[in-house]
Structures are given as C-alpha cells and as structure tokens.
Amino acid sequence: MEILISYLTRRQKGGVSRRTEERSAEALHFGRSANAEVYLADPRIRFEHAVVHQRPGGLFIEVEKHSDVRVNGQPTSNRSVIVGDVIGIGPFDVTLVEPPEGKDIAIEVELVRPLGDDYGQLAARSTVRLEDYGLSRRRWSWAGITGILIFFLVFPLLYFNQHTESTADKTVGARFDAVWDSGPVSSPHQFISDQCNICHEKPFIQVMDSACLSCHAPITQHFDLARAELAVIPQFSNLPATTCNDCHREHNGGKSLSISTESFCTDCHAGIEKSLANTSVKNAGRFDQTHPQFRPNIVSDPASRMFTRVSLDDPAALTEKSGLKFPHDAHLKKDGVRGPNGKETLQCGSCHNLTRGAANFDPIGMEGDCERCHQLVFDPRRPDRTLPHGQANNAQMLIREFYSDYGLRGGINDVQEPATAATRRRPGEQAPVTTQRQSDPRAWADQQAQRVADMSFGKTMCGNCHEVSSGEGKGPLNWSVVPAVVNKAWLPRGRFDHSAHSDMLKCDSCHAAQNSKQASDVLLPKIAVCQNCHGGENASNKVQSTCITCHDFHLPGTPRMGNTKAWRKHTDGDAALRDTQTPVAGQK
Ligand code: HEC
Ligand code: HEC
Ligand code: HEC
Ligand code: HEC
Ligand code: HEC
Ligand code: HEC
Ligand code: HEC
Ligand code: HEC
Ligand code: HEC
Ligand code: HEC
C-alpha cells in the first residue's frame, strides 16, 4: 500500500512545522524498530508497538500485547479504524486523514506528551484524590494563609497601633510585634530594644535616616561630597544616596554596628587623588605598612592663630611658634628647681594634668602651673601686689595707677634714691617724701611706671615667657605681648587615648621632653613608635587595629548627613549645596 506520513512539530510561538515522507509497504508498523515505517523515538514506545493493515473491510489496527494504544481516547487492543480517528500510541497522537490521489493511507504523527509528563499522566489516570481523605490542598492553603495573616499581621498591627506611644509591657508573648523580631538590637541601642517604633516609624517602610537623626542630629558627612569626583570609584558613585543603614547594620548579632573593615576605607584612601583631585591628604593603607607619617597641626603664626600641618619627617620645618618660651629641660633637672618653698623635683604631672577619664591632657595654664614659682611681682618692696596676667594693657594701667597713687600720697621709697636708714620703710610706715616727688609728682610717677614696665615686660616677667615688643615711638607704656596660643590637639584627625597607654609606657618613650630646650620643639612620637605595637586589622603579633580604631568617619566641619536631597541636586549640577555647608571648624 502507498503511505503518506506527516510528522508535525509545534513551535513555541504556536506555528506548526511539517515534515512528510512517502512509503510503500505491506503494512504500516509503528515502533522503535529501525524497520518500522513510522519510527517513534521514545523510551515509552515498544520495539514493535502496533501495526495497521489494509483489509477488505477497511483499515485495521493490531496492538502488540501490553502496549499502550488508545483510539479516540479509548484503550484498545485490536479493532478497525477509519479516517478521522486519532490513535494514541504512547505519547504520540496519530491522526488518520483523507489520503490524497494515489495514496492508500495518510497519517499525521505528533508528539503530544513529551517525556517528563509521566507523573501528570499517572496522576490524571489515578482515581485516588486528596480531597477524598479531607486533605484538600486548597482548603489547607487557605487555612494556613488566614492563620499567618491573623497571627503575624493583624495581631501585631493591632498591638502596634495600641502601643505607638510607649510600652512598659515587656512580657514576651503579650508582645505581638515580637514576631517580627529579626534578632536582638545592637548593644548601644539596647535601651530602646523594646520600643521598635522609635526606629521603625511607619509599618512596612524601611527605617529612615530621619529616625536615626532624631537622636544623632549632629552626624556629618565624611568629606564635602560636593568637592569630589565620585563617579570614578564605581562602588562609591552612589555615595550621596547612601543611608545610615548601608553602613550601620542593626539586628546584626554581636557584630559591630559600624562597617569596620580596612578595605572600606582603603578603597578610597589607597589612591585618594582618584576621588578628590586636588587634595593634600596623603595616601594611606594598612597601619604598619603604608600608612603615612603623622603630620601634626602646629602653630605657625600666633598673632593670626594660624596652624600648619608639618610632617614629623621634616625636622627643618617642625618649629612650633606658639608665642611661648619654655625650656622643659630647665624645669626637669634631676636635682630639682627653686620653688617658693625651696628646691623641688618636678614630674610631668606637676604641670600636665590628665582629667579623670579624659584622653588628652588639659592645656597648660599660667595661673595653675607656673605662677606659684613665677609670680608677677613688679616691685620687690610690695611682694603682695602682683600684675594681672593675660592682658598687657591692664597690667600697664595697674603699674601707672600704682605709682601715681604713691606719687601723690607717698608711701613708698623712690627706688632711684639709695636706701638709707632714714628712707627705708618699715611695715605700716609712710615713706618720707623726696624732693623730686614733692616738686613734680606726676612726672615722677610716669618715669617710675615706664621704668618698672620696661623691666617687667622686657626682662623679668612677661618677656621671660613671651615674645614682647615695647611699641617704640608710640608713646609711653606701649608694651605688647604676642598672644600665646597653646595647642590643644596636635593630631586632631587621629584618636589617641593617654589613659589606654599610661599603664604600659613611660611618658619619655613617646615624648623627648627631658632634653627639650625650647617651646618650639615638637615633642610628638613618630608613627614608628605606634607601629611597634599596632598592626593592621589581621595582624598576628601586634595589636589588631583597623582604621576606625584610630579614626572617626563622620569628620567635623563637613556638611550634615541625611540631606541626601541636597546632594542629589548638587550632583545634577545645582551649586546651591555649598551654601548649606557648615564652615570648617578651624582650631581656635
Ligand atoms: C535602633 C533602631 C532599631 C530598633 C530599636 C529596632 N530596629 Fe528593626 N531594623 C532597624 C534597621 C536599621 C533595620 C534594617 C533596615 C530596614 O530593613 O528597614 C531593621 C530591620 C528590621 C527587620 C527586617 C526588615 C527587613 O526589611 O529586612 C525586622 C523584621 C525588624 N527590624 C524588626 C524589629 C523589631 C520587632 C524591633 C523591636 C523589638 C526592632 N526591629 C527594633 C532598626 C531598628
Ligand atoms: C533613641 C535615640 C537613638 C536612636 C533613634 C538611634 N540611636 Fe544610635 N545611639 C544612641 C545612643 C544613646 C548610643 C550610645 C552612645 C554611646 O554609647 O556613647 C547610640 C550609638 C550609636 C552608634 C555608635 C555605636 C558604637 O559602637 O559606639 C551608632 C553607629 C549609631 N548609634 C547609629 C544609629 C543608627 C544608624 C540609627 C538609626 C537606625 C540610630 N543610631 C538610632 C541613640 C539612638
Ligand atoms: C568615598 C571615598 C572615601 C571613603 C570610603 C573613606 N574616605 Fe576618608 N576621605 C576621603 C576624602 C575625599 C577625604 C577628604 C580629603 C580632603 O579634604 O582633602 C577624606 C578624608 C579623610 C581623613 C582626613 C584626612 C586629613 O588629613 O584631613 C581621614 C583621617 C580619613 N578620611 C579616614 C578615613 C577612614 C578611617 C575611612 C574608613 C572608615 C575613610 N576615610 C573612608 C574619601 C574617603
Ligand atoms: C613646669 C611645667 C612642665 C613640666 C614639669 C612638663 N611640661 Fe610639658 N609642657 C609645659 C608647657 C608650658 C608646654 C607648652 C609649651 C609648648 O607648646 O611646647 C608643654 C608642652 C608639652 C608637650 C606638647 C608640646 C609639643 O610641642 O609637642 C608635651 C608632649 C609635653 N609637654 C610633655 C611633657 C613630659 C613628657 C613631661 C615630663 C617628662 C613634661 N612635659 C613636663 C610645661 C611642663
Ligand atoms: C617649681 C617652680 C617652677 C614652676 C612650677 C615653673 N617654673 Fe619656670 N622656672 C623655675 C626656675 C627656678 C627657673 C630658673 C631655672 C634656671 O635658670 O635654671 C625657671 C625658668 C623658666 C624659664 C626660663 C627663664 C630664663 O630666664 O631663661 C621660663 C621661660 C619658665 N621658667 C617658664 C615657666 C612656665 C611657662 C611655667 C608653667 C608652665 C613654669 N616656668 C613653671 C621654676 C618654676
Ligand atoms: C612664667 C611664664 C609667664 C609669664 C611670666 C607671663 N606669662 Fe603670659 N602666659 C603664660 C602661659 C603659659 C600662657 C598660656 C596659658 C594661659 O593662658 O594661661 C600665657 C598666656 C598669656 C596671654 C594670652 C592669653 C589668652 O587667653 O590668649 C597673654 C596676653 C599673656 N600671657 C600676657 C602676659 C603678660 C602681659 C605678662 C606679664 C605681665 C605675662 N603674660 C607673663 C606664661 C607666662
Ligand atoms: C594606631 C592608630 C591608627 C590606625 C590604625 C590608622 N591610623 Fe590613620 N592616622 C593616625 C594618626 C594619629 C594620624 C594623624 C592625624 C592627624 O594628622 O591629625 C593619621 C592620619 C591619617 C590620614 C591623614 C594622612 C595625611 O597626613 O594626609 C589618613 C588619610 C589616614 N590616617 C587614614 C587611615 C586609614 C585608611 C587607616 C586604615 C587602613 C588608618 N588611617 C589607620 C592613626 C591611625
Ligand atoms: C604611646 C605614646 C605616648 C605616651 C606613652 C604618652 N603620650 Fe603624650 N601624646 C602622645 C600623642 C600621640 C599625643 C598627641 C595627641 C593629640 O594631639 O591628638 C600626645 C600628646 C601629649 C600632650 C599634649 C596635650 C595633649 O594631650 O594632646 C601632653 C602634654 C602629653 N602628651 C603628655 C604626656 C605625658 C605627661 C605622658 C606620661 C604620663 C604621656 N604624654 C605619655 C603619645 C604618648
Ligand atoms: C607598647 C605598645 C603600644 C604602643 C607603643 C602604642 N599602643 Fe596604642 N594600644 C596598645 C594596646 C595594648 C591597646 C589596647 C588595645 C585594646 O584595649 O584592645 C592600645 C589601644 C590604642 C587605641 C584604642 C584606645 C581605645 O580607646 O580603646 C588607640 C586609638 C591607640 N592605641 C593609638 C595609638 C597611637 C596613635 C600610638 C602611637 C602614638 C600608640 N597607640 C602606641 C598598645 C600600644
Ligand atoms: C558610608 C558609610 C556611613 C554612612 C552612610 C553613615 N555612617 Fe555612621 N559611621 C560610619 C563608620 C565607618 C563609623 C565608625 C567610625 C567612627 O567611630 O566614627 C561611623 C560612626 C557612627 C557613629 C558613632 C561615632 C560618632 O561619630 O558618634 C554614629 C552615631 C553614626 N555613625 C551615625 C550615623 C547616622 C545617624 C548616619 C545616617 C545619617 C550614618 N552614621 C551614616 C560610616 C557611615
């Protein structure tokens, strides 16, 4: 018989592709055998699955024993078939179609149940249903969802709405919003751990910067983002839009609340010029390897209170011009110095006081630290009278008044006259009035005042400790003092805590004060001293120190955080941001 076979393949988009074959044979064999006229490549098909013969009465199908064949959906063994019948052979559907001229039989073959569909077929043919046993998946799903909604959404919401103001109720179980708990709150925030709504201001909305800033109001940026070309560092190109949460992970177990890895900082600081072209900041990496030498802030001009940063590796430029004169060595002599009550040996702590709990020493003060030995007595015969410290004008006014008073009223010897028995004053006695003083008391007083001022300012007192000038040509009593600017923090961008080190180290392992002859010496330790003990974050034989061991991130003098709108505007080219910036806090 003459056979026309069309293999149909459905494409994903819905079209059908057709491949036709023509055969002539005794009968039409279906199977996996190579001899079969219709070769069906599928493991579910038998070698010889079924045969269609042409008999006098028409077409007849013979099914191999136990083979899966259905005619129009009905399982079958042997029977006759006609044009229009669909013969299911395993996963294939074979449709008998009207044969064209010259053909005895025409079929279309299509794979309709690809492999992997077995379970579906089995399930479809199974008569056992979960519903029959009360196990309806749908019903259980609904019950589950309703339970979850009630216990984990409705109850917590009701609870939340009733307790938005405060909760003193700490009993677990009664607190339905505890089911949303995602782990303990960090230890610094433990005190609000039962008031979730302080941070989670609105349900279903991420914690916002404003919640953090309600307590941490003054938090600033790290640097003035408006100055930087952030786009060049891909991982920070979005820095203006970062939120507190990006760097501070809450509910993070015992881990630090802040990002603390070295790499977070060195991504920028290993090549700082990439994020800020015209910066003077040096590149910095792991502390004991590529961290730069310290550059303390030192007074370079006391009159205008100017500070300059000078590297400790640049001894020539390392001269602090604080306006003060002070020899450490003269005061630290082993055999002591003269004090009001005889010789005493001074320790560092005689002048430098560490207020309990403070990281740094209090600044030196003339009154507290020096005056008991360096009294501002201007007339040796009146040791009870001292000049006020700190204001050159007031001191000169006092001197002038002091001598005018005596010029008019008497009471003290003319120091120019040799002291005789007759003129030496005894306690409680009025001094005899000299001839000059009688004839022109005002001129005498002026002359005395100038002489004593010249002496006190120029030599014995102020000039000992200060840079002074006599104001020559500007009239009498015109001495002035270059104001002393006592530095408060030489390394303000780093952190150093004396009390954390004072048990381990003597002062002179870091400060060579013993041999310092002048106040202009900078007595700070170089970085190598710290590197003896401090290593990088993974150091094995040193104190493990990451960047934030010694540095703050939110640097003072930079614009405030939480103003992301303004930054975004700026990055779009709006220059208004600069106006919102707080001025850089200079050291005054
Ligand atoms: C100090 C502020 C703070 C407190 C207090 C706080 N959280 Fe959070 N919580 C956060 C932050 C920040 C996140 C992470 C950002 C976010 O997903 O909103 C967070 C995330 C969560 C998340 C995960 C949300 C998510 O999107 O992944 C849950 C749940 C959560 N908190 C529940 C609680 C519960 C319950 C309490 C009270 C017991 C609580 N929190 C108290 C700050 C806080
Ligand atoms: C109710 C006020 C309050 C809120 C709201 C608050 N904090 Fe705090 N935070 C504190 C207090 C208090 C400390 C502890 C300060 C201390 O120990 O000196 C602290 C400490 C910190 C610290 C320093 C942690 C440390 O290891 O020293 C960080 C970082 C911090 N908070 C970030 C945040 C962030 C981010 C948010 C917003 C999700 C936030 N805070 C919300 C009060 C608050
Ligand atoms: C997005 C890049 C970036 C990241 C991340 C970064 N910095 Fe900075 N840092 C800068 C820029 C830019 C400056 C400002 C330089 C200037 O003002 O000239 C700066 C300034 C500083 C300064 C002040 C330097 C000086 O001498 O004035 C210190 C200290 C510092 N960063 C330390 C850190 C530490 C520690 C970290 C990690 C916790 C860190 N930085 C993370 C870019 C970054
Ligand atoms: C008689 C008081 C006095 C004693 C004692 C004294 N100092 Fe000072 N020290 C000063 C004064 C005044 C200054 C400020 C002058 C200056 O800027 O150098 C100063 C400044 C310093 C500074 C910072 C100055 C710089 O430029 O680095 C250090 C560090 C210091 N002293 C260490 C010591 C140590 C260590 C000792 C003990 C061995 C000591 N001092 C003993 C009075 C004293
Ligand atoms: C215990 C007493 C004592 C204290 C306290 C003291 N000094 Fe002196 N100071 C002396 C003595 C004594 C001398 C003279 C030492 C010498 O010439 O060898 C002296 C010398 C000086 C000199 C040098 C004067 C010169 O003629 O060269 C200066 C400057 C000075 N002191 C400043 C200070 C300052 C500033 C303080 C406070 C921070 C201070 N002293 C605290 C006792 C003291
Ligand atoms: C024994 C040293 C010593 C003598 C003497 C001395 N001073 Fe000072 N003076 C200091 C020190 C130390 C400071 C800085 C600490 C302070 O302000 O107490 C200072 C600070 C000053 C300041 C700056 C105050 C400020 O707040 O900016 C003036 C001005 C001043 N002295 C004037 C004088 C005058 C005027 C005299 C003379 C009558 C004088 N001093 C004598 C040690 C001395
Ligand atoms: C053991 C303490 C310590 C560690 C750890 C440390 N630094 Fe520093 N760093 C300092 C001190 C102190 C200064 C000097 C501060 C100053 O000049 O005011 C400094 C200065 C700097 C400067 C300014 C450099 C300049 O002169 O221009 C930068 C930037 C810096 N550090 C970044 C880092 C980075 C990034 C890390 C981590 C890889 C780090 N530091 C680790 C103590 C430390
Ligand atoms: C491990 C080294 C180290 C040791 C030990 C040490 N210091 Fe310092 N000291 C420093 C550093 C670093 C600074 C600069 C801190 C700053 O300006 O930020 C400093 C600053 C100072 C200052 C200037 C004022 C201040 O606190 O900033 C004085 C005064 C001082 N030290 C005195 C002492 C005395 C006194 C001792 C002994 C009890 C001592 N130091 C021990 C490292 C040390
Ligand atoms: C003799 C070893 C030694 C030297 C030198 C030394 N440190 Fe330390 N430092 C330590 C030890 C130990 C700790 C405590 C570590 C701890 O508590 O986990 C510490 C702690 C610190 C801390 C953290 C303090 C805190 O608040 O907990 C800083 C910041 C620091 N050092 C800075 C410095 C600087 C800057 C220098 C150099 C001027 C320096 N150290 C020199 C041993 C040293
Ligand atoms: C780009 C990362 C980053 C962002 C964004 C950030 N911080 Fe920080 N913050 C840090 C790092 C790193 C530290 C730890 C170093 C230190 O102690 O300053 C820190 C420290 C802190 C501290 C403790 C030290 C301090 O200065 O008081 C507080 C509080 C804090 N951040 C609050 C905030 C708040 C609030 C926001 C959001 C407005 C915020 N931070 C955004 C990185 C960030």
Side-chain angles (χ1 to χ4, degrees), residues 175 177-178 180-182 185 189 192-196 199-200 205-207 245 248-251:
R175 268 196 43 209
D177 57 354
W180 288 348
D181 204 337
S182 59
V185 174
H189 292 140
I192 44 169
S193 63
D194 58 343
Q195 283 152 275
C196 316
C199 294
H200 295 276
I205 294 192
Q206 276 220 326
V207 173
N245 305 333
H248 298 290
R249 291 258 157 242
E250 253 308 339
H251 307 288

mmCIF file of all heavy atoms in Angstrom, residues 175 177-178 180-182 185 189 192-196 199-200 205-207 245 248-251, ligand 1:
data_model
loop_
_atom_site.group_PDB
_atom_site.id
_atom_site.type_symbol
_atom_site.label_atom_id
_atom_site.label_comp_id
_atom_site.label_asym_id
_atom_site.label_seq_id
_atom_site.Cartn_x
_atom_site.Cartn_y
_atom_site.Cartn_z
ATOM 1 N N ARG A 175 3.612 40.517 73.643
ATOM 2 C CA ARG A 175 4.085 41.460 72.647
ATOM 3 C C ARG A 175 3.975 40.861 71.268
ATOM 4 O O ARG A 175 4.830 40.119 70.828
ATOM 5 C CB ARG A 175 5.561 41.768 72.923
ATOM 6 C CG ARG A 175 5.779 42.966 73.810
ATOM 7 C CD ARG A 175 7.214 43.380 73.682
ATOM 8 N NE ARG A 175 7.588 43.336 72.275
ATOM 9 C CZ ARG A 175 8.810 43.099 71.862
ATOM 10 N NH1 ARG A 175 9.768 42.871 72.709
ATOM 11 N NH2 ARG A 175 9.081 43.087 70.577
ATOM 12 N N ASP A 177 4.196 42.239 68.338
ATOM 13 C CA ASP A 177 5.123 42.645 67.284
ATOM 14 C C ASP A 177 6.483 41.969 67.446
ATOM 15 O O ASP A 177 7.362 42.110 66.615
ATOM 16 C CB ASP A 177 5.252 44.163 67.169
ATOM 17 C CG ASP A 177 5.681 44.825 68.454
ATOM 18 O OD1 ASP A 177 5.772 44.111 69.466
ATOM 19 O OD2 ASP A 177 5.901 46.042 68.435
ATOM 20 N N ALA A 178 6.641 41.190 68.524
ATOM 21 C CA ALA A 178 7.889 40.441 68.663
ATOM 22 C C ALA A 178 8.027 39.380 67.574
ATOM 23 O O ALA A 178 9.122 38.919 67.298
ATOM 24 C CB ALA A 178 7.961 39.785 70.040
ATOM 25 N N TRP A 180 7.843 39.883 64.623
ATOM 26 C CA TRP A 180 8.587 40.486 63.518
ATOM 27 C C TRP A 180 10.052 40.679 63.889
ATOM 28 O O TRP A 180 10.829 41.187 63.106
ATOM 29 C CB TRP A 180 8.001 41.856 63.142
ATOM 30 C CG TRP A 180 6.690 41.750 62.461
ATOM 31 C CD1 TRP A 180 6.114 40.615 61.971
ATOM 32 C CD2 TRP A 180 5.787 42.805 62.190
ATOM 33 N NE1 TRP A 180 4.913 40.902 61.408
ATOM 34 C CE2 TRP A 180 4.675 42.239 61.528
ATOM 35 C CE3 TRP A 180 5.791 44.168 62.433
ATOM 36 C CZ2 TRP A 180 3.593 42.998 61.115
ATOM 37 C CZ3 TRP A 180 4.721 44.921 62.025
ATOM 38 C CH2 TRP A 180 3.620 44.339 61.365
ATOM 39 N N ASP A 181 10.396 40.282 65.084
ATOM 40 C CA ASP A 181 11.748 40.500 65.569
ATOM 41 C C ASP A 181 12.754 39.813 64.659
ATOM 42 O O ASP A 181 12.606 38.638 64.353
ATOM 43 C CB ASP A 181 11.870 39.934 66.986
ATOM 44 C CG ASP A 181 12.985 40.603 67.739
ATOM 45 O OD1 ASP A 181 13.881 41.133 67.059
ATOM 46 O OD2 ASP A 181 12.952 40.604 68.976
ATOM 47 N N SER A 182 13.766 40.546 64.235
ATOM 48 C CA SER A 182 14.757 39.914 63.374
ATOM 49 C C SER A 182 16.084 39.816 64.095
ATOM 50 O O SER A 182 17.124 39.991 63.519
ATOM 51 C CB SER A 182 14.899 40.690 62.085
ATOM 52 O OG SER A 182 15.287 42.004 62.402
ATOM 53 N N VAL A 185 18.596 43.862 69.065
ATOM 54 C CA VAL A 185 19.089 45.177 68.671
ATOM 55 C C VAL A 185 20.525 45.306 69.192
ATOM 56 O O VAL A 185 20.879 44.702 70.193
ATOM 57 C CB VAL A 185 18.150 46.245 69.282
ATOM 58 C CG1 VAL A 185 18.681 47.634 69.051
ATOM 59 C CG2 VAL A 185 16.757 46.111 68.715
ATOM 60 N N HIS A 189 22.085 50.265 71.411
ATOM 61 C CA HIS A 189 20.672 50.631 71.315
ATOM 62 C C HIS A 189 19.774 49.755 72.173
ATOM 63 O O HIS A 189 18.551 49.817 72.052
ATOM 64 C CB HIS A 189 20.208 50.565 69.850
ATOM 65 C CG HIS A 189 20.821 51.606 68.982
ATOM 66 N ND1 HIS A 189 21.246 51.368 67.704
ATOM 67 C CD2 HIS A 189 21.099 52.916 69.228
ATOM 68 C CE1 HIS A 189 21.750 52.469 67.194
ATOM 69 N NE2 HIS A 189 21.678 53.431 68.090
ATOM 70 N N ILE A 192 16.548 50.980 73.808
ATOM 71 C CA ILE A 192 15.265 51.155 73.115
ATOM 72 C C ILE A 192 14.834 49.852 72.452
ATOM 73 O O ILE A 192 14.008 49.849 71.537
ATOM 74 C CB ILE A 192 15.320 52.285 72.051
ATOM 75 C CG1 ILE A 192 16.601 52.192 71.228
ATOM 76 C CG2 ILE A 192 15.170 53.637 72.680
ATOM 77 C CD1 ILE A 192 16.594 53.114 70.004
ATOM 78 N N SER A 193 15.386 48.731 72.939
ATOM 79 C CA SER A 193 15.121 47.467 72.240
ATOM 80 C C SER A 193 13.651 47.058 72.326
ATOM 81 O O SER A 193 13.192 46.257 71.533
ATOM 82 C CB SER A 193 15.997 46.359 72.808
ATOM 83 O OG SER A 193 15.653 46.151 74.154
ATOM 84 N N ASP A 194 12.920 47.565 73.281
ATOM 85 C CA ASP A 194 11.507 47.191 73.331
ATOM 86 C C ASP A 194 10.604 48.302 72.794
ATOM 87 O O ASP A 194 9.408 48.299 72.995
ATOM 88 C CB ASP A 194 11.107 46.801 74.760
ATOM 89 C CG ASP A 194 11.370 47.924 75.741
ATOM 90 O OD1 ASP A 194 12.132 48.841 75.370
ATOM 91 O OD2 ASP A 194 10.826 47.891 76.847
ATOM 92 N N GLN A 195 11.201 49.255 72.126
ATOM 93 C CA GLN A 195 10.385 50.309 71.506
ATOM 94 C C GLN A 195 10.712 50.359 70.022
ATOM 95 O O GLN A 195 11.319 51.308 69.524
ATOM 96 C CB GLN A 195 10.656 51.656 72.178
ATOM 97 C CG GLN A 195 9.958 51.787 73.518
ATOM 98 C CD GLN A 195 10.719 52.720 74.417
ATOM 99 O OE1 GLN A 195 11.653 52.319 75.104
ATOM 100 N NE2 GLN A 195 10.337 53.979 74.391
ATOM 101 N N CYS A 196 10.321 49.298 69.364
ATOM 102 C CA CYS A 196 10.656 49.137 67.951
ATOM 103 C C CYS A 196 10.274 50.380 67.148
ATOM 104 O O CYS A 196 10.943 50.763 66.205
ATOM 105 C CB CYS A 196 9.946 47.926 67.371
ATOM 106 S SG CYS A 196 9.986 46.474 68.431
ATOM 107 N N CYS A 199 12.597 53.410 65.893
ATOM 108 C CA CYS A 199 13.311 53.321 64.613
ATOM 109 C C CYS A 199 12.361 53.005 63.464
ATOM 110 O O CYS A 199 12.446 53.601 62.402
ATOM 111 C CB CYS A 199 14.396 52.261 64.658
ATOM 112 S SG CYS A 199 15.720 52.654 65.797
ATOM 113 N N HIS A 200 11.482 52.037 63.718
ATOM 114 C CA HIS A 200 10.523 51.659 62.657
ATOM 115 C C HIS A 200 9.323 52.589 62.783
ATOM 116 O O HIS A 200 8.293 52.222 63.338
ATOM 117 C CB HIS A 200 10.109 50.202 62.807
ATOM 118 C CG HIS A 200 11.240 49.250 62.604
ATOM 119 N ND1 HIS A 200 11.642 48.813 61.377
ATOM 120 C CD2 HIS A 200 12.101 48.672 63.485
ATOM 121 C CE1 HIS A 200 12.670 47.997 61.491
ATOM 122 N NE2 HIS A 200 12.976 47.898 62.764
ATOM 123 N N ILE A 205 7.613 50.398 56.085
ATOM 124 C CA ILE A 205 8.525 51.336 55.432
ATOM 125 C C ILE A 205 9.891 51.166 56.082
ATOM 126 O O ILE A 205 9.996 51.095 57.300
ATOM 127 C CB ILE A 205 8.022 52.783 55.564
ATOM 128 C CG1 ILE A 205 6.726 52.896 54.771
ATOM 129 C CG2 ILE A 205 9.053 53.765 55.063
ATOM 130 C CD1 ILE A 205 6.239 54.276 54.559
ATOM 131 N N GLN A 206 10.933 51.059 55.275
ATOM 132 C CA GLN A 206 12.281 50.869 55.798
ATOM 133 C C GLN A 206 12.629 51.969 56.793
ATOM 134 O O GLN A 206 12.144 53.088 56.684
ATOM 135 C CB GLN A 206 13.279 50.929 54.643
ATOM 136 C CG GLN A 206 13.434 49.617 53.924
ATOM 137 C CD GLN A 206 14.881 49.358 53.558
ATOM 138 O OE1 GLN A 206 15.610 50.303 53.266
ATOM 139 N NE2 GLN A 206 15.305 48.119 53.615
ATOM 140 N N VAL A 207 13.499 51.610 57.727
ATOM 141 C CA VAL A 207 13.945 52.596 58.698
ATOM 142 C C VAL A 207 14.572 53.768 57.945
ATOM 143 O O VAL A 207 15.394 53.581 57.062
ATOM 144 C CB VAL A 207 14.980 51.968 59.642
ATOM 145 C CG1 VAL A 207 15.584 53.024 60.547
ATOM 146 C CG2 VAL A 207 14.331 50.862 60.465
ATOM 147 N N ASN A 245 21.618 53.007 57.192
ATOM 148 C CA ASN A 245 21.560 51.540 57.236
ATOM 149 C C ASN A 245 22.592 50.875 56.356
ATOM 150 O O ASN A 245 22.959 49.739 56.588
ATOM 151 C CB ASN A 245 20.185 51.032 56.779
ATOM 152 C CG ASN A 245 19.074 51.650 57.562
ATOM 153 O OD1 ASN A 245 19.286 52.041 58.706
ATOM 154 N ND2 ASN A 245 17.913 51.761 56.964
ATOM 155 N N HIS A 248 25.537 51.009 58.753
ATOM 156 C CA HIS A 248 25.284 50.603 60.141
ATOM 157 C C HIS A 248 24.199 49.543 60.149
ATOM 158 O O HIS A 248 23.034 49.856 59.930
ATOM 159 C CB HIS A 248 24.844 51.802 60.983
ATOM 160 C CG HIS A 248 25.877 52.866 61.054
ATOM 161 N ND1 HIS A 248 27.048 52.705 61.745
ATOM 162 C CD2 HIS A 248 25.935 54.101 60.513
ATOM 163 C CE1 HIS A 248 27.778 53.787 61.628
ATOM 164 N NE2 HIS A 248 27.128 54.658 60.884
ATOM 165 N N ARG A 249 24.606 48.297 60.352
ATOM 166 C CA ARG A 249 23.661 47.188 60.297
ATOM 167 C C ARG A 249 23.067 46.939 61.668
ATOM 168 O O ARG A 249 23.796 46.608 62.594
ATOM 169 C CB ARG A 249 24.368 45.928 59.807
ATOM 170 C CG ARG A 249 24.762 46.033 58.361
ATOM 171 C CD ARG A 249 23.788 45.242 57.486
ATOM 172 N NE ARG A 249 23.815 45.766 56.129
ATOM 173 C CZ ARG A 249 22.759 46.305 55.526
ATOM 174 N NH1 ARG A 249 21.619 46.393 56.142
ATOM 175 N NH2 ARG A 249 22.853 46.751 54.302
ATOM 176 N N GLU A 250 21.745 47.086 61.741
ATOM 177 C CA GLU A 250 21.059 46.768 63.003
ATOM 178 C C GLU A 250 20.701 45.287 63.039
ATOM 179 O O GLU A 250 20.807 44.601 62.029
ATOM 180 C CB GLU A 250 19.792 47.618 63.136
ATOM 181 C CG GLU A 250 19.906 48.724 64.163
ATOM 182 C CD GLU A 250 20.387 48.262 65.532
ATOM 183 O OE1 GLU A 250 20.283 47.076 65.852
ATOM 184 O OE2 GLU A 250 20.899 49.096 66.297
ATOM 185 N N HIS A 251 20.286 44.794 64.181
ATOM 186 C CA HIS A 251 19.916 43.378 64.368
ATOM 187 C C HIS A 251 21.027 42.479 63.836
ATOM 188 O O HIS A 251 20.785 41.522 63.121
ATOM 189 C CB HIS A 251 18.618 43.035 63.626
ATOM 190 C CG HIS A 251 17.474 43.935 63.955
ATOM 191 N ND1 HIS A 251 16.820 43.889 65.160
ATOM 192 C CD2 HIS A 251 16.856 44.906 63.243
ATOM 193 C CE1 HIS A 251 15.846 44.786 65.159
ATOM 194 N NE2 HIS A 251 15.853 45.420 64.022
HETATM 195 C C1 HEC B 1 17.925 51.308 66.688
HETATM 196 C C2 HEC B 1 16.879 51.204 65.733
HETATM 197 C C3 HEC B 1 16.046 49.927 65.646
HETATM 198 C C4 HEC B 1 15.274 49.368 66.634
HETATM 199 C C5 HEC B 1 15.099 49.830 68.049
HETATM 200 C C6 HEC B 1 14.633 48.228 66.035
HETATM 201 N N1 HEC B 1 15.015 48.095 64.724
HETATM 202 FE FE1 HEC B 1 14.398 46.661 63.417
HETATM 203 N N2 HEC B 1 15.647 47.392 61.996
HETATM 204 C C7 HEC B 1 16.417 48.518 62.139
HETATM 205 C C8 HEC B 1 17.139 48.711 60.912
HETATM 206 C C9 HEC B 1 18.118 49.846 60.658
HETATM 207 C C10 HEC B 1 16.784 47.669 60.040
HETATM 208 C C11 HEC B 1 17.290 47.409 58.616
HETATM 209 C C12 HEC B 1 16.671 48.371 57.630
HETATM 210 C C13 HEC B 1 15.285 48.012 57.271
HETATM 211 O O1 HEC B 1 15.078 46.926 56.723
HETATM 212 O O2 HEC B 1 14.365 48.831 57.491
HETATM 213 C C14 HEC B 1 15.846 46.859 60.760
HETATM 214 C C15 HEC B 1 15.240 45.744 60.222
HETATM 215 C C16 HEC B 1 14.251 45.023 60.850
HETATM 216 C C17 HEC B 1 13.536 43.928 60.254
HETATM 217 C C18 HEC B 1 13.790 43.344 58.903
HETATM 218 C C19 HEC B 1 13.113 44.162 57.869
HETATM 219 C C20 HEC B 1 13.713 43.909 56.545
HETATM 220 O O3 HEC B 1 13.341 44.635 55.634
HETATM 221 O O4 HEC B 1 14.568 43.052 56.415
HETATM 222 C C21 HEC B 1 12.641 43.498 61.157
HETATM 223 C C22 HEC B 1 11.668 42.378 60.988
HETATM 224 C C23 HEC B 1 12.793 44.340 62.345
HETATM 225 N N3 HEC B 1 13.765 45.252 62.114
HETATM 226 C C24 HEC B 1 12.031 44.209 63.496
HETATM 227 C C25 HEC B 1 12.248 44.940 64.658
HETATM 228 C C26 HEC B 1 11.506 44.731 65.888
HETATM 229 C C27 HEC B 1 10.418 43.722 66.112
HETATM 230 C C28 HEC B 1 12.006 45.606 66.779
HETATM 231 C C29 HEC B 1 11.598 45.782 68.252
HETATM 232 C C30 HEC B 1 11.827 44.626 69.076
HETATM 233 C C31 HEC B 1 13.028 46.392 66.110
HETATM 234 N N4 HEC B 1 13.138 45.953 64.822
HETATM 235 C C32 HEC B 1 13.750 47.408 66.696
HETATM 236 C C33 HEC B 1 16.498 49.347 63.236
HETATM 237 C C34 HEC B 1 15.885 49.124 64.449
#
